[in-house]
Amino acid sequence: MNLPDHELLELNGLCNALIDGAITESERVRLEQVLAASEDARRFYVRAMALSASLFDYAGEMQADAPDVPLPRVVRVPKWVWTIGSLAAAASVALAFWLGGANEIANAEQESSDESVARLSGAKDCRWVGAALQPGAELRRGQRIELQSGFAEITFDCGAQVTLEGPASLDLSSAWDAVLNRGTLKANVPHEAIGFRVSNPSVEVVDLGTEFSMVADASGATEVFVLQGSVEAAARDAAGNSGEPVVLREKQARRFAVAGSTDVHDRDAKLAKLNRKIALERFTRPANYVHWSFDEEAGPAHAQTIGLANDNFTAQLEPASEALSAGTRTEGRWQRALQLDGKTFAKVPFPGINKRAARTAAFWIKVPADAPLPDAGAMLAWPLGNAGRGVEIGWNRQPLDGALGTLRTTAARNSLTGTTPLRDGRWHHLAVVFSPRQKADAAPQIRQYVDGRLDGLSARRTGKRVRGGQAEPREIAGSADESLWIGRNLAGRESGEHFRGALDELFVADRALTPPEIRSLMTRNKPATTEMLAVE
């Protein structure tokens, strides 16, 4: 779709007004004119109407009574303007495509066995039921963890850390929730992971920023203990329905069973036992980093390397003129930052950047409030493999791909759009983690973090190719170049796709960093040491 940004925004607004039933007669006439003049506009319109129809139908199925909101009136465009067929035929094809895409997504998720949501980050004296988990192993959505004895620490992608004490059984539902089938669990949940949830047949516990424990016995009853902070706990009945949640605070406890909830006997003794510290063996290998602070007065940005022999990662500013170079620094989140004006960008020689390997890019960004769409070029970009594809990290300017101004990452044929707005003139810490798949040429899994909080996790597909919802990432020309681009899209793309804003403290690591390591870069502006991770 090649609509200019101002036309795309206007068309999106007209479609939204039509869907909401608030379109005026003058807007309706304008919409007909836009559709009559552009095939791309008609395609956008069909996709928008198909999405609205499918969501309306889904909403109707989710309520007991018939929906009382009328479907949007379709704009009747003269037949002669439709070079792609009649509106009815196009809409039905688009709707089938959209719903077919949704089915494909569901099928791919069912077939996927490669979607990581957590990892085994620590252990002590573990004896496993069945195959032993390897140190540092990635854990999949839907996987059951069976521990016969010992202690196993699981770090979820949201940042919550759960320690199981065997015998115990835990199902991983997603990056944000798990099911405790039996045994003892201790959860340490940082502020960035508030909302993490653990449930079982007798209770559902939602964290409010805390440290808590759960003990599930063979009868199905579960005791909940709050070690620090507070949680919401809702009892479940025999049908699996949750009751009104109660808030439990520090040093409080409650026993939940299908018959109801009661006080916990010998609560203080159990709290003391659960509060004991367990010395675990950690499974995080050292990471190598390249770090640009952008603290120079002006000119090129020099890098510091950690664990790498090659230290020639100087970011050269382009276009290289004294006038531009003199104005490329501003007040940063930590000392100075790189100021990009929508024309200036930086290019860094980076041997091996195009290899399909695990990698993390973490940095601070400040996007002007209400920045215009033409300034939504990539903050960071680099080639990926030798098939004409690449990685681009920027903010979203496509209305059909998600909320405007949120973090968006593309990597080969995979893409991910977050939910946290970035266009507010404030500093935000971003981290994007790439994990390769077993298939050599497959797109990596993407994890996005905004201000330390998980802001999107892409599925690593092993099923069919997913279509619908998001535009297919475009092919990239000239991807054989081993360079990191700062402030513009990859070479070979349309001119003018540059980023406007400030960027500070850029770290590129040679593996997938964990949430505690990302928090260290955000709060301390330096990589976490083994000692730091041990006290997280």
Side-chain angles (χ1 to χ4, degrees), residues 162-417:
V162 166
T163 301
L164 284 180
E165 180 179 356
S169 172
L170 183 75
D171 292 339
L172 308 184
S173 303
S174 76
W176 287 95
D177 62 289
V179 177
L180 179 65
N181 301 307
R182 68 177 186 279
T184 299
L185 169 153
K186 183 178 179 180
N188 189 318
V189 184
H191 173 78
E192 293 80 10
I194 286 177
F196 179 73
R197 179 178 63 181
V198 181
S199 61
N200 69 6
S202 59
V203 66
E204 178 179 83
V205 178
V206 178
D207 167 78
L208 302 177
T210 185
E211 188 174 0
F212 68 92
S213 284
M214 295 173 63
V215 181
D217 62 27
S219 70
T222 303
E223 293 179 340
V224 179
F225 302 85
V226 181
L227 309 179
Q228 295 180 20
S230 59
V231 302
E232 279 188 353
R236 285 180 160 179
D237 59 23
N241 300 314
S242 296
E244 192 69 23
V246 296
V247 176
L248 300 177
R249 295 180 171 83
E250 188 169 338
K251 296 184 180 180
Q252 292 184 336
R254 198 77 179 162
R255 178 181 175 85
F256 296 86
V258 174
S261 65
T262 58
D263 292 332
V264 174
H265 299 296
D266 58 5
R267 179 196 63 188
D268 292 341
K270 290 180 177 178
L271 279 169
K273 180 181 178 182
L274 293 169
N275 259 318
R276 73 190 191 280
K277 299 296 183 181
I278 306 297
L280 300 174
E281 180 185 357
R282 302 287 174 175
F283 299 142
T284 302
R285 71 172 179 83
N288 301 315
Y289 294 84
V290 184
H291 171 216
W292 295 266
S293 66
F294 305 111
D295 289 339
E296 300 87 353
E297 291 280 354
H302 300 285
Q304 173 193 11
T305 57
I306 303 173
L308 296 172
N310 181 9
D311 59 357
N312 186 23
F313 292 95
T314 300
Q316 296 290 344
L317 295 171
E318 301 182 19
S321 70
E322 290 298 326
L324 287 174
S325 297
T328 56
R329 297 299 191 277
T330 187
E331 182 179 354
R333 177 60 178 79
W334 301 79
Q335 299 185 48
R336 293 187 182 88
L338 182 64
Q339 180 67 52
L340 299 168
D341 60 1
K343 298 178 182 178
T344 310
F345 57 92
K347 182 179 180 181
V348 184
F350 205 121
I353 190 72
N354 65 346
K355 300 295 186 294
R356 294 179 180 271
R359 202 177 309 280
T360 302
F363 53 99
W364 288 91
I365 204 75
K366 182 193 282 189
V367 181
D370 300 322
L373 296 187
D375 293 341
M379 304 165 188
L380 297 179
W382 62 84
L384 185 64
N386 298 312
R389 304 190 182 107
V391 170
E392 291 184 343
I393 303 172
W395 57 266
N396 181 46
R397 68 175 187 178
Q398 299 292 340
L400 290 183
D401 290 344
L404 291 174
T406 57
L407 180 60
R408 177 171 170 81
T409 302
T410 62
R413 296 187 181 278
N414 207 355
S415 62
L416 178 64
T417 302

Side-chain angles (χ1 to χ4, degrees), residues 11-28:
L11 179 57
N12 185 62
L14 292 172
C15 288
N16 287 339
L18 177 63
I19 291 169
D20 294 339
I23 193 168
T24 65
E25 187 59 32
S26 60
E27 288 175 331
R28 189 181 301 279

Side-chain angles (χ1 to χ4, degrees), residues 409-411 414-416 432-434 444-448 456-458:
T409 302
T410 62
N414 207 355
S415 62
L416 178 64
V432 184
V433 182
F434 303 90
Q445 184 180 27
I446 307 169
R447 301 176 184 87
Q448 293 184 161
L457 172 66
S458 70

